Amino acid sequence: MWNRKDDREDLIDVDGLRKLLKVRTGDAREFDSLSESLRRHYLMVYYSAKTEETRNKRLDMMIRYMKTRKRFMWS
């Protein structure tokens, strides 16, 4: 059920990611226009990274994929 909150969601800083997107792209409206489930997917992808280097790579990928409105796999 998509409405059910996951324990991991307490660790996610949505506003922090919006601020990063504003710094990188100048705007976070693209992220805000995504569906709730896609925003959740992108947040999980970003915040599941263990190192800052990996988070930066995922942020770059996220910026590219947001325009396509698709989920992406990461390694």
Side-chain angles (χ1 to χ4, degrees):
M1 177 123 174
W2 287 104
N3 299 4
R4 195 165 152 209
K5 190 173 179 183
D6 189 307
D7 292 338
R8 296 174 296 174
E9 291 182 71
D10 291 333
L11 304 173
I12 293 176
D13 179 13
V14 178
D15 291 330
L17 184 59
R18 278 193 185 100
K19 287 176 187 174
L20 285 172
L21 288 168
K22 285 180 183 178
V23 168
R24 290 279 181 99
T25 65
D27 199 353
R29 282 185 286 179
E30 188 80 38
F31 177 77
D32 292 333
S33 70
L34 298 173
S35 68
E36 181 69 30
S37 63
L38 200 50
R39 280 195 308 261
R40 191 175 311 140
H41 168 74
Y42 283 15
L43 287 163
M44 291 293 190
V45 167
Y46 179 77
Y47 283 108
S48 65
K50 294 178 184 172
T51 67
E52 195 64 32
E53 179 184 355
T54 304
R55 283 186 177 183
N56 287 328
K57 288 179 185 177
R58 290 183 184 179
L59 185 60
D60 291 338
M61 279 179 48
M62 189 182 333
I63 290 167
R64 286 195 312 268
Y65 273 82
M66 276 194 298
K67 294 179 185 344
T68 67
R69 300 263 195 275
K70 294 182 180 177
R71 293 177 184 266
F72 62 94
M73 302 303 287
W74 67 96
S75 56

